[in-house]
Amino acid sequence: MNEAAQVSAGKTGRRTESAAGRDVSTVRDVARRAGVSASTVSRVMGGTYPVAAATRAKVLKAMRELDYVVNAHARALGGSTNKTVAFVVDDVTGPFYAHIARGVEEQASAEGRLCMLCTTHGDPQRVLAVVEMMREQRADAVIVVGGAWEDKAYQDRMTHFAHALDRVGSRLVLVGRPPLGEGVPATVVDYDNEAGAFAMTTHLLSAGHRRIAYLARVPGLSTSTQRISGFTRAHELMGLTPDPALILDGEFTRAHGYRAARELLASGADFSAVFAGTDMVAAGALQALREGGVRVPEDVSVAGYDDIPVAIDVYPALTTVHVPHEELGRTAVRLALHRDEFPESQHQVLGTHIVIRASTRGPGRPRETS
Amino acid sequence: MNEAAQVSAGKTGRRTESAAGRDVSTVRDVARRAGVSASTVSRVMGGTYPVAAATRAKVLKAMRELDYVVNAHARALGGSTNKTVAFVVDDVTGPFYAHIARGVEEQASAEGRLCMLCTTHGDPQRVLAVVEMMREQRADAVIVVGGAWEDKAYQDRMTHFAHALDRVGSRLVLVGRPPLGEGVPATVVDYDNEAGAFAMTTHLLSAGHRRIAYLARVPGLSTSTQRISGFTRAHELMGLTPDPALILDGEFTRAHGYRAARELLASGADFSAVFAGTDMVAAGALQALREGGVRVPEDVSVAGYDDIPVAIDVYPALTTVHVPHEELGRTAVRLALHRDEFPESQHQVLGTHIVIRASTRGPGRPRETS
DNA sequence: TTGAAAGCGCTAACAC
DNA sequence: GTGTTAGCGCTTTCAA
């Protein structure tokens, strides 16, 4: 007892010297003030246990007077229920991610979860580091968004994490990327990348375009590979073969779209349509085309992918493939949190569809003469 | 002992029945495997304490073999160091917030903090609820972004939370909104809203515009009030008075910009320039103007506020006021985390400046004749 | 309906 | 250098 008092005194001393607060009230303080025991206070908070109305009132009053808030960590530790969902993206700034983030955040808060945000800046190393941190946090679900690197080592690492997370009771969720394989404990919410690209390419081909440039192929990135695959399949279905010279490698950025379109123009390549890897790439291409005196869609048609908000603000408004961003996010959270209820639907593929706006039409005259 | 064993057995039983694992290894497991004590394991992890090289190696090996990860909650509970920063926004989707979020996330991870994301959907009630949750989490800093409601009750509540957070050792940070007053323990990182609007209005006025419409005034929102104030001051400095009929109330949305510009056109109002409350509002206005056959900037100049990425993608590229989004985010985190080192600079105002692009120029002929 | 007691997993003071 | 001993604040049996 004496020792306890001494320890307490020592602590109080330290409190004074540090700038801000360690003087938070605890269940015990509340209990003392209400003249009950700590367990009773806990029961009042939990709500899931009978407590006499009078007692409950006293406790509530004490909590209010002390401005009490539970310590989420202590609760997580004792009660093993953690209540957080982690959201891992490349870059919050991209509208693509932002909208998925919104879906995730909404569903998470609807399910009473907090949402942790982590950015990886496209660095595969950081993805792994971040997933590790989430394991420490014991997040209910760890949602990783965006194309995956089709790299054996990387995938093995992810598979490892899927298991590691599973072991601590967490769930790995892959959004917009392919499954890791059979038996890997992970939820996958994907959208039909290939079909979207196929539909768009078909739209362009049936408008009469025969030489379509594809901007921003990212070798080794699942998303890109699938889009290229839909692009190719659409050609093949009409007995055509895409010209490899018209497929330009590059990143999913506005800057790349601008650069690539300029090069295309400078090289004098023959093309009447541009299918950009993403809407951002399309936005860059549009600028380059405009600066090069090429009219869209009169001289060249331009299509994008993603249907992010900027698609309606560029000029002309962009024909693109719609991806159900928010729904991806919401579905990811829902599926992961209720995986016991839906064990069979842990791999979901949402649909995509094309949205035709003003940037595409049939091919005009050859570019040279315009 | 028997009882303990029984309890343990009971738990194991439950483990089996629940889908995924509660079978995580703890410091104790690692300690046992490495043949050392728990404290030694803890010391190895902390790194900040001398441990024999051989011992350290054994522990590290055991941790690897057991695939051990610390329990962040247990750590937070014991060590009182929490390592998270909370970020509270209206809507992750807005590029305005997204870029601040990036700054926050970057600085937070640079400082070894995790970042929690919370959305309020413009609901003042939810702001308060969210701040309360963050108090439970004992976040190092709670960063609230965006204009504040100039409403006494709301401000009182925020003031209350500033104190409450302070008591649990957290710090309230207000980004892009005015301070709560003297003696309130909060960090404020603002940007010069008024000066930005002043500079832009002056730009327009000196180009010769005399009838400038202001789109999207939001009564009671600090940001909007300050912008209007800069707008007015610029007029007054030239001995002019803005025409109240040209100041349209409405939200900071693209949809409102569109609607407002259409109304303006329909009403036959006389104006040669539009100053939009935000870039999104400007994007909507641009569309309405184009649809109405009004050329920008030949017939009407359009200016925005914020300088979000879309400003360069709209047509014509938008003249706007640049707000240092990322820097706001970074500064917020830095200041809050090191408040003891910089007690004097807990209220910082970052500069804004105008960026002139293609959407503004001198007034052309009267609109009627165009 | 309530209280007492035993941890959850970790860190930190204190001994050796 | 390393082990022992106490808790951090809460939930949760087990008794009463």
Side-chain angles (χ1 to χ4, degrees):
Chain A
M1 261 299 200
N2 298 351
E3 287 181 350
Q6 223 177 344
V7 167
S8 181
K11 269 192 187 156
T12 310
R14 225 179 310 131
R15 277 175 204 170
T16 316
E17 87 195 30
S18 98
R22 261 309 62 136
D23 55 353
V24 204
S25 25
T26 73
V27 255
R28 240 122 105 169
D29 300 323
V30 175
R32 198 174 311 127
R33 185 168 188 117
V36 299
S37 77
S39 349
T40 302
V41 175
S42 177
R43 291 198 263 260
V44 169
M45 291 194 283
T48 171
Y49 207 88
V51 174
T55 316
R56 142 172 275 107
K58 273 192 303 186
V59 171
L60 256 19
K61 178 156 170 289
M63 298 206 314
R64 217 172 309 115
E65 290 169 352
L66 258 37
D67 198 27
Y68 171 82
V69 270
V70 282
N71 180 322
H73 298 293
R75 173 173 282 178
L77 185 54
S80 90
T81 164
N82 172 293
K83 302 292 177 197
T84 62
V85 159
F87 185 61
V88 183
V89 286
D90 232 52
D91 175 9
V92 233
T93 277
F96 178 89
Y97 298 120
H99 281 262
I100 299 180
R102 178 202 274 206
V104 166
E105 211 280 337
E106 279 183 12
Q107 188 66 27
S109 70
E111 307 239 16
R113 257 64 168 199
L114 241 35
C115 187
M116 313 219 56
L117 176 68
C118 307
T119 339
T120 59
H121 305 293
D123 177 358
Q125 282 306 315
R126 248 185 83 77
V127 179
L128 307 175
V130 159
V131 172
E132 193 64 6
M133 293 192 84
M134 289 308 106
R135 202 146 73 97
E136 295 180 6
Q137 296 289 329
R138 303 291 190 267
D140 292 327
V142 178
I143 302 173
V144 179
V145 178
W149 298 103
E150 297 163 322
D151 159 340
K152 179 85 169 60
Y154 178 72
Q155 294 195 9
D156 285 350
R157 290 276 263 160
M158 285 305 287
T159 302
H160 169 78
F161 278 116
H163 283 111
L165 285 170
D166 184 64
R167 237 171 289 131
V168 302
S170 280
R171 181 71 169 188
L172 178 66
V173 186
L174 270 18
V175 173
R177 48 167 77 187
L180 289 167
E182 274 307 307
V184 179
T187 299
V188 178
V189 182
D190 208 352
Y191 55 91
D192 205 339
N193 246 311
E194 200 271 354
F198 175 82
M200 182 58 82
T201 310
T202 299
H203 165 68
L204 258 14
L205 289 171
S206 35
H209 295 280
R210 282 302 171 269
R211 297 195 52 78
I212 307 171
Y214 189 95
L215 260 45
R217 170 174 69 176
V218 189
L221 185 68
S222 61
T223 317
S224 180
T225 304
Q226 294 169 353
R227 291 179 189 182
I228 290 280
S229 150
F231 177 73
T232 308
R233 183 162 66 88
H235 278 82
E236 288 168 351
L237 209 71
M238 297 187 69
L240 304 168
T241 313
D243 181 351
L246 289 181
I247 300 184
L248 275 63
D249 284 3
E251 305 168 296
F252 279 175
T253 61
R254 187 186 196 284
H256 170 70
Y258 180 78
R259 228 180 302 122
R262 278 183 76 100
E263 278 169 28
L264 220 43
L265 252 26
S267 71
D270 173 27
F271 65 98
S272 68
V274 170
F275 188 4
T278 69
D279 287 348
M280 285 312 291
V281 173
L286 244 19
Q287 185 188 341
L289 257 19
R290 181 162 49 237
E291 290 178 8
V294 177
R295 293 169 306 163
V296 177
E298 292 82 353
D299 304 326
V300 167
S301 285
V302 175
Y305 208 122
D306 286 348
D307 196 21
I308 57 177
V310 77
I312 62 170
D313 284 316
V314 293
Y315 184 76
L318 195 65
T319 292
T320 188
V321 179
H322 179 79
V323 172
H325 306 279
E326 290 194 31
E327 203 185 335
L328 283 168
R330 272 195 300 270
T331 307
V333 174
R334 196 166 349 104
L335 246 44
L337 258 27
H338 306 296
R339 55 184 180 280
D340 297 333
E341 302 161 41
F342 311 110
E344 300 309 321
S345 32
Q346 291 300 115
H347 179 3
Q348 202 116 344
V349 179
L350 305 186
T352 49
H353 61 264
I354 65 176
V355 178
I356 298 175
R357 298 207 178 90
S359 66
T360 53
R361 62 147 79 168
R365 334 170 159 201
R367 250 192 347 103
E368 296 69 42
T369 68
S370 68
Chain B
M1 260 297 201
N2 298 352
E3 288 182 347
Q6 222 176 343
V7 167
S8 182
K11 268 194 189 153
T12 310
R14 225 176 312 133
R15 276 174 206 170
T16 317
E17 87 195 31
S18 100
R22 265 304 67 128
D23 55 353
V24 204
S25 25
T26 72
V27 254
R28 244 123 103 165
D29 300 322
V30 175
R32 198 174 312 128
R33 184 166 189 118
V36 298
S37 78
S39 351
T40 302
V41 175
S42 176
R43 292 197 263 258
V44 169
M45 293 193 285
T48 170
Y49 209 87
V51 175
T55 315
R56 144 171 274 108
K58 275 192 303 186
V59 171
L60 255 19
K61 180 157 168 288
M63 298 204 315
R64 220 173 304 116
E65 289 168 352
L66 259 38
D67 198 28
Y68 171 83
V69 270
V70 281
N71 181 321
H73 299 293
R75 174 174 282 179
L77 186 53
S80 91
T81 163
N82 172 294
K83 302 292 177 197
T84 63
V85 159
F87 185 61
V88 183
V89 287
D90 230 51
D91 175 11
V92 232
T93 276
F96 177 89
Y97 298 120
H99 281 261
I100 299 179
R102 177 201 274 208
V104 167
E105 212 279 339
E106 279 183 12
Q107 187 66 28
S109 69
E111 307 239 15
R113 256 64 168 199
L114 241 34
C115 187
M116 312 217 59
L117 177 68
C118 307
T119 337
T120 58
H121 304 293
D123 178 359
Q125 282 305 316
R126 249 186 82 75
V127 179
L128 307 175
V130 159
V131 173
E132 193 64 4
M133 294 193 82
M134 290 308 106
R135 202 147 74 99
E136 295 180 4
Q137 296 289 328
R138 304 291 191 268
D140 292 328
V142 177
I143 302 173
V144 179
V145 178
W149 297 103
E150 296 165 321
D151 158 340
K152 180 85 169 60
Y154 178 72
Q155 295 197 10
D156 284 349
R157 290 276 263 159
M158 285 304 288
T159 302
H160 169 77
F161 278 117
H163 283 110
L165 285 170
D166 184 63
R167 239 172 288 131
V168 302
S170 281
R171 181 70 170 190
L172 177 67
V173 186
L174 271 17
V175 173
R177 49 169 76 186
L180 288 167
E182 274 306 308
V184 180
T187 300
V188 177
V189 182
D190 207 351
Y191 55 91
D192 204 338
N193 246 312
E194 200 271 354
F198 175 82
M200 181 59 80
T201 309
T202 300
H203 165 68
L204 258 15
L205 289 171
S206 34
H209 295 280
R210 282 300 171 270
R211 297 196 51 82
I212 307 172
Y214 189 95
L215 260 45
R217 171 174 68 175
V218 189
L221 185 69
S222 61
T223 318
S224 180
T225 304
Q226 293 168 354
R227 291 179 189 182
I228 290 281
S229 148
F231 177 74
T232 308
R233 183 164 64 90
H235 278 82
E236 289 169 350
L237 209 70
M238 297 186 69
L240 304 168
T241 313
D243 181 351
L246 290 180
I247 299 185
L248 275 63
D249 284 4
E251 304 169 298
F252 279 176
T253 61
R254 188 187 195 283
H256 170 70
Y258 180 77
R259 227 180 304 122
R262 278 184 74 102
E263 277 169 29
L264 221 42
L265 250 27
S267 72
D270 173 27
F271 64 99
S272 67
V274 169
F275 186 4
T278 70
D279 288 348
M280 285 312 292
V281 172
L286 244 19
Q287 185 188 339
L289 257 18
R290 182 162 49 236
E291 290 178 7
V294 177
R295 293 168 306 162
V296 176
E298 292 82 354
D299 303 325
V300 167
S301 285
V302 174
Y305 207 122
D306 284 349
D307 196 21
I308 59 178
V310 78
I312 62 169
D313 285 315
V314 294
Y315 184 77
L318 195 65
T319 293
T320 188
V321 179
H322 180 78
V323 173
H325 306 279
E326 291 195 30
E327 202 184 335
L328 283 168
R330 273 196 299 273
T331 307
V333 174
R334 197 168 348 105
L335 245 44
L337 259 26
H338 305 296
R339 55 186 179 278
D340 297 334
E341 301 159 43
F342 310 111
E344 299 310 320
S345 33
Q346 291 300 115
H347 180 2
Q348 203 116 344
V349 179
L350 305 186
T352 48
H353 61 264
I354 66 176
V355 177
I356 298 174
R357 299 210 177 89
S359 66
T360 51
R361 61 148 77 168
R365 332 171 160 202
R367 250 191 346 104
E368 297 67 42
T369 68
S370 68

